[in-house]
Amino acid sequence: NAGVTQTPKFQVLKTGQSMTLQCAQDMNHNSMYWYRQDPGMGLRLIYYSASEGTTDKGEVPNGYNVSRLNKREFSLRLESAAPSQTSVYFCASSGSSGSYEQYFGPGTRLTVT
Amino acid sequence: KQEVTQIPAALSVPEGENLVLNCSFTDSAIYNLQWFRQDPGKGLTSLLLIQSSQREQTSGRLNASLDKSSGRSTLYIAASQPGDSATYLCAVRINNDMRFGAGTRLTVKP
């Protein structure tokens, strides 16, 4: 039981390049989330998916797209990376009833030069 | 807009001390409140979750309380140990939106 896994762990991009961050969970959760964490700030929600086939914008969606590939996988895409997107990205999942307790992946540290 | 504040931003205590971390939020219409621990360079580990209808939750040396009407939660750590050194984050949930505080960085000195 791996919980929430993310790839890659580290990535360096040049401005304008694109990339996709991958996330998978094996807890049979319906809901999945993408956050970014910047120094001195709490985590901010980029996008979430309440169930397979649905996605919704969070607090800071500009510059990102997401795909809920199936119940297990939720990817985050940067189409044209900008230095302002340098951050640590976390994926999380939760059930969609009961406690809604969130479980987090280990994060992806992204640097855009 | 829901805002979550954690005070203090950093705290240093000697080993064995009992301590309280604070979390405040502006909108009391929350579904739940969750406390997390984050070690440097790592992801978040869930410590305690309090539903909006509950007043407190306990796990080992940790006790979290929730006062929705005043928009406050506290995390009490008893008999602190050096291994408790980490950043502690609180987050409140409203529908599918989770709002996080910036965290309290705790250092427990041997």
PDB file of all heavy atoms in Angstrom, chain A residues 73-93:
ATOM      1  N   GLU A  73      -5.405   8.106 -10.984  1.00  0.00           N
ATOM      2  CA  GLU A  73      -4.375   9.026 -11.457  1.00  0.00           C
ATOM      3  C   GLU A  73      -4.912  10.417 -11.770  1.00  0.00           C
ATOM      4  O   GLU A  73      -5.986  10.572 -12.383  1.00  0.00           O
ATOM      5  CB  GLU A  73      -3.718   8.448 -12.717  1.00  0.00           C
ATOM      6  CG  GLU A  73      -3.001   7.140 -12.470  1.00  0.00           C
ATOM      7  CD  GLU A  73      -2.553   6.496 -13.772  1.00  0.00           C
ATOM      8  OE1 GLU A  73      -3.421   6.057 -14.558  1.00  0.00           O
ATOM      9  OE2 GLU A  73      -1.339   6.458 -14.006  1.00  0.00           O
ATOM     10  N   PHE A  74      -4.131  11.413 -11.384  1.00  0.00           N
ATOM     11  CA  PHE A  74      -4.508  12.818 -11.567  1.00  0.00           C
ATOM     12  C   PHE A  74      -3.230  13.572 -11.930  1.00  0.00           C
ATOM     13  O   PHE A  74      -2.304  13.646 -11.124  1.00  0.00           O
ATOM     14  CB  PHE A  74      -5.112  13.337 -10.269  1.00  0.00           C
ATOM     15  CG  PHE A  74      -5.744  14.703 -10.351  1.00  0.00           C
ATOM     16  CD1 PHE A  74      -6.460  15.114 -11.450  1.00  0.00           C
ATOM     17  CD2 PHE A  74      -5.664  15.565  -9.256  1.00  0.00           C
ATOM     18  CE1 PHE A  74      -7.068  16.360 -11.495  1.00  0.00           C
ATOM     19  CE2 PHE A  74      -6.273  16.815  -9.290  1.00  0.00           C
ATOM     20  CZ  PHE A  74      -6.973  17.214 -10.408  1.00  0.00           C
ATOM     21  N   SER A  75      -3.156  14.103 -13.144  1.00  0.00           N
ATOM     22  CA  SER A  75      -1.921  14.749 -13.592  1.00  0.00           C
ATOM     23  C   SER A  75      -2.090  16.258 -13.685  1.00  0.00           C
ATOM     24  O   SER A  75      -3.203  16.770 -13.896  1.00  0.00           O
ATOM     25  CB  SER A  75      -1.490  14.184 -14.948  1.00  0.00           C
ATOM     26  OG  SER A  75      -2.456  14.465 -15.931  1.00  0.00           O
ATOM     27  N   LEU A  76      -0.982  16.953 -13.516  1.00  0.00           N
ATOM     28  CA  LEU A  76      -0.945  18.423 -13.585  1.00  0.00           C
ATOM     29  C   LEU A  76       0.016  18.827 -14.693  1.00  0.00           C
ATOM     30  O   LEU A  76       1.168  18.391 -14.696  1.00  0.00           O
ATOM     31  CB  LEU A  76      -0.461  18.998 -12.246  1.00  0.00           C
ATOM     32  CG  LEU A  76      -0.325  20.518 -12.174  1.00  0.00           C
ATOM     33  CD1 LEU A  76      -1.701  21.183 -12.145  1.00  0.00           C
ATOM     34  CD2 LEU A  76       0.477  20.924 -10.938  1.00  0.00           C
ATOM     35  N   ARG A  77      -0.447  19.662 -15.618  1.00  0.00           N
ATOM     36  CA  ARG A  77       0.387  20.041 -16.754  1.00  0.00           C
ATOM     37  C   ARG A  77       0.663  21.539 -16.748  1.00  0.00           C
ATOM     38  O   ARG A  77      -0.265  22.351 -16.544  1.00  0.00           O
ATOM     39  CB  ARG A  77      -0.277  19.643 -18.076  1.00  0.00           C
ATOM     40  CG  ARG A  77       0.587  19.972 -19.292  1.00  0.00           C
ATOM     41  CD  ARG A  77       0.196  19.180 -20.507  1.00  0.00           C
ATOM     42  NE  ARG A  77       1.013  19.556 -21.657  1.00  0.00           N
ATOM     43  CZ  ARG A  77       2.223  19.039 -21.924  1.00  0.00           C
ATOM     44  NH1 ARG A  77       2.763  18.150 -21.113  1.00  0.00           N
ATOM     45  NH2 ARG A  77       2.891  19.417 -23.003  1.00  0.00           N
ATOM     46  N   LEU A  78       1.938  21.864 -16.979  1.00  0.00           N
ATOM     47  CA  LEU A  78       2.351  23.241 -17.197  1.00  0.00           C
ATOM     48  C   LEU A  78       2.643  23.368 -18.690  1.00  0.00           C
ATOM     49  O   LEU A  78       3.564  22.733 -19.206  1.00  0.00           O
ATOM     50  CB  LEU A  78       3.612  23.584 -16.397  1.00  0.00           C
ATOM     51  CG  LEU A  78       3.481  23.770 -14.886  1.00  0.00           C
ATOM     52  CD1 LEU A  78       3.201  22.459 -14.170  1.00  0.00           C
ATOM     53  CD2 LEU A  78       4.753  24.407 -14.344  1.00  0.00           C
ATOM     54  N   GLU A  79       1.849  24.133 -19.397  1.00  0.00           N
ATOM     55  CA  GLU A  79       1.995  24.223 -20.852  1.00  0.00           C
ATOM     56  C   GLU A  79       3.187  25.088 -21.253  1.00  0.00           C
ATOM     57  O   GLU A  79       3.890  24.803 -22.214  1.00  0.00           O
ATOM     58  CB  GLU A  79       0.722  24.797 -21.470  1.00  0.00           C
ATOM     59  CG  GLU A  79      -0.475  23.869 -21.404  1.00  0.00           C
ATOM     60  CD  GLU A  79      -0.337  22.638 -22.312  1.00  0.00           C
ATOM     61  OE1 GLU A  79       0.624  22.563 -23.120  1.00  0.00           O
ATOM     62  OE2 GLU A  79      -1.192  21.738 -22.211  1.00  0.00           O
ATOM     63  N   SER A  80       3.404  26.173 -20.541  1.00  0.00           N
ATOM     64  CA  SER A  80       4.496  27.093 -20.860  1.00  0.00           C
ATOM     65  C   SER A  80       5.018  27.641 -19.526  1.00  0.00           C
ATOM     66  O   SER A  80       4.502  28.627 -19.002  1.00  0.00           O
ATOM     67  CB  SER A  80       3.997  28.227 -21.751  1.00  0.00           C
ATOM     68  OG  SER A  80       5.053  29.140 -22.051  1.00  0.00           O
ATOM     69  N   ALA A  81       6.024  26.959 -18.980  1.00  0.00           N
ATOM     70  CA  ALA A  81       6.470  27.258 -17.622  1.00  0.00           C
ATOM     71  C   ALA A  81       7.022  28.677 -17.495  1.00  0.00           C
ATOM     72  O   ALA A  81       7.690  29.195 -18.406  1.00  0.00           O
ATOM     73  CB  ALA A  81       7.525  26.246 -17.191  1.00  0.00           C
ATOM     74  N   ALA A  82       6.753  29.276 -16.341  1.00  0.00           N
ATOM     75  CA  ALA A  82       7.243  30.618 -16.019  1.00  0.00           C
ATOM     76  C   ALA A  82       7.975  30.571 -14.684  1.00  0.00           C
ATOM     77  O   ALA A  82       7.667  29.705 -13.840  1.00  0.00           O
ATOM     78  CB  ALA A  82       6.072  31.594 -15.934  1.00  0.00           C
ATOM     79  N   PRO A  83       8.938  31.461 -14.456  1.00  0.00           N
ATOM     80  CA  PRO A  83       9.663  31.470 -13.176  1.00  0.00           C
ATOM     81  C   PRO A  83       8.731  31.544 -11.966  1.00  0.00           C
ATOM     82  O   PRO A  83       9.055  31.004 -10.902  1.00  0.00           O
ATOM     83  CB  PRO A  83      10.557  32.704 -13.296  1.00  0.00           C
ATOM     84  CG  PRO A  83      10.810  32.844 -14.761  1.00  0.00           C
ATOM     85  CD  PRO A  83       9.510  32.428 -15.414  1.00  0.00           C
ATOM     86  N   SER A  84       7.567  32.188 -12.113  1.00  0.00           N
ATOM     87  CA  SER A  84       6.611  32.288 -10.999  1.00  0.00           C
ATOM     88  C   SER A  84       6.022  30.932 -10.609  1.00  0.00           C
ATOM     89  O   SER A  84       5.383  30.811  -9.554  1.00  0.00           O
ATOM     90  CB  SER A  84       5.473  33.245 -11.355  1.00  0.00           C
ATOM     91  OG  SER A  84       4.767  32.763 -12.484  1.00  0.00           O
ATOM     92  N   GLN A  85       6.228  29.930 -11.453  1.00  0.00           N
ATOM     93  CA  GLN A  85       5.734  28.587 -11.142  1.00  0.00           C
ATOM     94  C   GLN A  85       6.776  27.732 -10.429  1.00  0.00           C
ATOM     95  O   GLN A  85       6.531  26.559 -10.139  1.00  0.00           O
ATOM     96  CB  GLN A  85       5.257  27.897 -12.424  1.00  0.00           C
ATOM     97  CG  GLN A  85       4.037  28.583 -13.027  1.00  0.00           C
ATOM     98  CD  GLN A  85       3.560  27.943 -14.301  1.00  0.00           C
ATOM     99  OE1 GLN A  85       4.337  27.800 -15.270  1.00  0.00           O
ATOM    100  NE2 GLN A  85       2.299  27.570 -14.348  1.00  0.00           N
ATOM    101  N   THR A  86       7.922  28.322 -10.116  1.00  0.00           N
ATOM    102  CA  THR A  86       8.901  27.651  -9.261  1.00  0.00           C
ATOM    103  C   THR A  86       8.266  27.449  -7.899  1.00  0.00           C
ATOM    104  O   THR A  86       7.828  28.404  -7.252  1.00  0.00           O
ATOM    105  CB  THR A  86      10.174  28.499  -9.127  1.00  0.00           C
ATOM    106  OG1 THR A  86      10.826  28.554 -10.395  1.00  0.00           O
ATOM    107  CG2 THR A  86      11.117  27.912  -8.081  1.00  0.00           C
ATOM    108  N   SER A  87       8.185  26.184  -7.467  1.00  0.00           N
ATOM    109  CA  SER A  87       7.460  25.875  -6.246  1.00  0.00           C
ATOM    110  C   SER A  87       7.624  24.392  -5.939  1.00  0.00           C
ATOM    111  O   SER A  87       8.254  23.647  -6.690  1.00  0.00           O
ATOM    112  CB  SER A  87       5.973  26.205  -6.436  1.00  0.00           C
ATOM    113  OG  SER A  87       5.248  26.102  -5.232  1.00  0.00           O
ATOM    114  N   VAL A  88       7.056  23.977  -4.814  1.00  0.00           N
ATOM    115  CA  VAL A  88       6.931  22.554  -4.513  1.00  0.00           C
ATOM    116  C   VAL A  88       5.474  22.187  -4.724  1.00  0.00           C
ATOM    117  O   VAL A  88       4.572  22.846  -4.170  1.00  0.00           O
ATOM    118  CB  VAL A  88       7.379  22.223  -3.084  1.00  0.00           C
ATOM    119  CG1 VAL A  88       7.258  20.721  -2.839  1.00  0.00           C
ATOM    120  CG2 VAL A  88       8.814  22.676  -2.848  1.00  0.00           C
ATOM    121  N   TYR A  89       5.232  21.152  -5.504  1.00  0.00           N
ATOM    122  CA  TYR A  89       3.878  20.745  -5.860  1.00  0.00           C
ATOM    123  C   TYR A  89       3.527  19.456  -5.116  1.00  0.00           C
ATOM    124  O   TYR A  89       4.275  18.477  -5.138  1.00  0.00           O
ATOM    125  CB  TYR A  89       3.767  20.540  -7.367  1.00  0.00           C
ATOM    126  CG  TYR A  89       3.873  21.842  -8.125  1.00  0.00           C
ATOM    127  CD1 TYR A  89       5.111  22.376  -8.457  1.00  0.00           C
ATOM    128  CD2 TYR A  89       2.725  22.553  -8.464  1.00  0.00           C
ATOM    129  CE1 TYR A  89       5.208  23.591  -9.123  1.00  0.00           C
ATOM    130  CE2 TYR A  89       2.806  23.767  -9.132  1.00  0.00           C
ATOM    131  CZ  TYR A  89       4.058  24.273  -9.452  1.00  0.00           C
ATOM    132  OH  TYR A  89       4.151  25.479 -10.110  1.00  0.00           O
ATOM    133  N   PHE A  90       2.364  19.488  -4.480  1.00  0.00           N
ATOM    134  CA  PHE A  90       1.885  18.328  -3.737  1.00  0.00           C
ATOM    135  C   PHE A  90       0.561  17.853  -4.314  1.00  0.00           C
ATOM    136  O   PHE A  90      -0.319  18.650  -4.617  1.00  0.00           O
ATOM    137  CB  PHE A  90       1.680  18.663  -2.258  1.00  0.00           C
ATOM    138  CG  PHE A  90       2.953  18.853  -1.499  1.00  0.00           C
ATOM    139  CD1 PHE A  90       3.428  20.128  -1.219  1.00  0.00           C
ATOM    140  CD2 PHE A  90       3.686  17.763  -1.061  1.00  0.00           C
ATOM    141  CE1 PHE A  90       4.611  20.306  -0.517  1.00  0.00           C
ATOM    142  CE2 PHE A  90       4.862  17.931  -0.359  1.00  0.00           C
ATOM    143  CZ  PHE A  90       5.326  19.209  -0.089  1.00  0.00           C
ATOM    144  N   CYS A  91       0.453  16.547  -4.412  1.00  0.00           N
ATOM    145  CA  CYS A  91      -0.797  15.911  -4.768  1.00  0.00           C
ATOM    146  C   CYS A  91      -1.388  15.298  -3.503  1.00  0.00           C
ATOM    147  O   CYS A  91      -0.641  14.861  -2.602  1.00  0.00           O
ATOM    148  CB  CYS A  91      -0.525  14.819  -5.804  1.00  0.00           C
ATOM    149  SG  CYS A  91      -1.970  13.866  -6.300  1.00  0.00           S
ATOM    150  N   ALA A  92      -2.702  15.280  -3.390  1.00  0.00           N
ATOM    151  CA  ALA A  92      -3.367  14.697  -2.235  1.00  0.00           C
ATOM    152  C   ALA A  92      -4.632  13.980  -2.689  1.00  0.00           C
ATOM    153  O   ALA A  92      -5.132  14.235  -3.792  1.00  0.00           O
ATOM    154  CB  ALA A  92      -3.711  15.775  -1.200  1.00  0.00           C
ATOM    155  N   SER A  93      -5.110  13.105  -1.839  1.00  0.00           N
ATOM    156  CA  SER A  93      -6.373  12.438  -2.134  1.00  0.00           C
ATOM    157  C   SER A  93      -7.191  12.313  -0.857  1.00  0.00           C
ATOM    158  O   SER A  93      -6.647  12.388   0.260  1.00  0.00           O
ATOM    159  CB  SER A  93      -6.143  11.057  -2.753  1.00  0.00           C
ATOM    160  OG  SER A  93      -5.611  10.154  -1.802  1.00  0.00           O
TER     161      SER A  93
END
